[in-house]
Amino acid sequence: MLIDTHAHLDYPDFSEDLDEVIGRAVDAGVARIITIGTGIASSRRAVELAEKYQEVYAAVGIHPTNVQHEVEDFLPKLRELAEHPKVAAIGETGLDYHHLPSGELQSSPAISALQAEVPQDAQAAIMDGAYKVAQAEAFRVQLDLALALELNVVIHQRDAWEDTLAILKPYTGRVSGVFHCFGNLPEQAMEVIALGHLVSFTGTITFKNATLVRETAIKIPEDSFMVETDCPYLAPVPHRGKRCEPAYTRLVAEQIAQEREVPLEIIARQTTATAEKFFRFDSVRLT
Ligand SMILES: [Zn+2]
């Protein structure tokens, strides 16, 4: 048995054939799927899918790149959703500095010409600062919610490693996070694992150039990682570039088994046990 710990089943990519998609997952041994919310509307859809499908559980949260498009006071709505019995985590939340507003500023001279009184580097610093502060606040609010509801968090981190760890540190030992779609260095994986967090691997581990991801998967302890698809994105080889779906969790687990030189059953058992603990299937939510 495998658990796809990160899927986006509420995305329109699955609106036509979700019954079949879930059927194929079950046939591939993927007995549970955590569908991840990326905003209030998406989180609500995630909870509805968890109500509809026995195999599906939800995580509810505001993705860092959606923070500035969300209603300002999202917390009451998120809390209400998070109290649903099939909500297994808060997230995805975290920090993403990959596309900063200043990047767009430089590429649109019309805007910067309008604001010519303010030097462009000052404008950039102000815009990027506001963007980062908004993400940081939303991340903290969601960590507090997780703490209050005794849930763990699904963390999206991109180009923001230091700040993510700085925000997370005060919660050490109280809230655990999974650094999903792990693509940083093996040493960085060890760093967060030492703080009580987990990492999870997607189909990127099957990509030809993903040497460091495979190295990470070999080096880290057996109880420190989970498997996921991040579908509809990041389909593993041989489906790379096509729509990804939860059944492909098996291909991710097979790649890890090959790297660690153990049978697939071992990886399945270990990652499932880790996921059951992280998402608290061991307590109230086990059905
Ligand atoms: Zn995601």
Side-chain angles (χ1 to χ4, degrees), residues 6-8 11 36-38 63 92 154 156 180-181 228 230-231 233:
H6 195 118
H8 295 285
Y11 283 20
I36 312 281
T38 53
H63 190 283
E92 54 190 302
V154 177
H156 172 102
H180 108 89
C181 191
E228 59 162 308
D230 202 15
C231 65
Y233 310 119

Side-chain angles (χ1 to χ4, degrees), residues 60-121:
V60 297
I62 315 291
H63 190 283
T65 60
N66 289 337
V67 164
Q68 289 193 320
H69 314 292
E70 272 298 336
V71 283
E72 206 174 314
D73 190 15
F74 62 77
L75 184 59
K77 291 191 183 76
L78 193 61
R79 174 184 264 277
E80 197 188 319
L81 289 167
E83 282 168 349
H84 190 283
K86 283 195 86 178
V87 168
I90 299 295
E92 54 190 302
T93 178
L95 302 177
D96 188 325
Y97 297 169
H98 191 65
H99 295 290
L100 292 172
S102 60
E104 279 147 51
L105 186 74
Q106 265 127 35
S107 64
S108 55
I111 295 170
S112 48
L114 279 171
Q115 301 165 332
E117 319 85 68
V118 183
Q120 205 179 53
D121 54 346

Side-chain angles (χ1 to χ4, degrees), residues 34-51:
I34 317 285
T35 191
I36 312 281
T38 53
I40 292 295
S42 161
S43 297
R44 187 167 292 126
R45 289 194 298 271
V47 170
E48 285 165 8
L49 291 171
E51 280 176 345

Side-chain angles (χ1 to χ4, degrees), residues 3-5 7 9 22 25 30-35 55-58 246:
I3 300 182
D4 182 356
T5 61
L9 299 183
I22 291 174
V30 183
R32 285 189 194 136
I33 303 162
I34 317 285
T35 191
E55 299 84 359
V56 176
Y57 290 76

